[in-house]
Amino acid sequence: MPSHFFFLGGIVFLAAQFFAVQPANAVLGEPATSIASDKESLGGLRIAKSAGDGFEVQEIQSEATSVREYVSPDGIVFAVAWNGLVHPDLTHLLGSYASEYQQALKKVPRKPGRRSLQVTSSRVIVEKWGHMRNLQGRAYAPDLLPAGVTINEIR
């Protein structure tokens, strides 16, 4: 086989590895104790911590996506936000809320050309927006929002 087939195959493999997004382990509605392991799961380059008024944000940056996990004073992840080249795998980030999200998503009418999506169920809200190379979103459980924290602070 000619050597250019191996070269092209190698490029395709490297591109797939570069754009692959690994699942996170800390999930919505669960304790934040596993966020440190998300760095490895996401192929993260670093974890940064910052504080908001009544919550903590832990950010994991990978080659393709930056994921921010919002933690209440009780140590529970009450929201997740992201931006990057791709949307993360929400099945892992939403945890026990994932099936409820999938059911609500099936009921959202499709609109060609729409660049934003909001899926609301009884326990979780997921919003996605953006355009190629700048995809953004957030997911949160309204019942878990700490007192005094507004949805606009989740970004």
Side-chain angles (χ1 to χ4, degrees):
M1 209 184 289
S3 63
H4 67 278
F5 285 116
F6 292 110
F7 178 74
L8 289 175
I11 289 175
V12 170
F13 175 77
L14 289 174
Q17 295 300 312
F18 178 78
F19 289 108
V21 175
Q22 300 298 318
N25 293 325
V27 296
L28 191 62
E30 294 188 11
T33 55
S34 63
I35 290 176
S37 67
D38 287 348
K39 180 180 177 186
E40 293 175 24
S41 297
L42 285 166
L45 301 175
R46 69 182 181 96
I47 295 179
K49 291 183 182 182
S50 62
D53 191 20
F55 61 91
E56 180 180 274
V57 180
Q58 296 194 29
E59 182 174 5
I60 302 167
Q61 294 182 347
S62 70
E63 294 283 337
T65 306
S66 177
V67 174
R68 291 166 302 285
E69 299 180 20
Y70 292 74
V71 182
S72 71
D74 298 333
I76 302 297
V77 177
F78 67 88
V80 177
W82 62 89
N83 65 288
L85 300 174
V86 296
H87 289 293
D89 181 358
L90 292 181
T91 303
H92 296 282
L93 288 176
L94 295 178
S96 64
Y97 296 92
S99 61
E100 188 174 323
Y101 162 72
Q102 291 295 332
Q103 291 301 317
L105 180 62
K106 290 177 185 176
K107 297 176 184 176
V108 174
R110 302 283 182 217
K111 294 181 183 176
R114 177 176 52 188
R115 293 183 185 245
S116 65
L117 174 70
Q118 180 173 5
V119 178
T120 303
S121 71
S122 62
R123 298 184 318 136
V124 67
I125 297 173
V126 177
E127 301 169 338
K128 295 180 178 183
W129 64 91
H131 53 81
M132 187 165 42
R133 301 191 60 79
N134 185 21
L135 298 174
Q136 300 176 48
R138 64 182 173 188
Y140 58 94
D143 292 344
L144 297 178
L145 286 174
V149 175
T150 67
I151 295 166
N152 292 333
E153 295 175 271
I154 304 167
R155 51 182 179 265

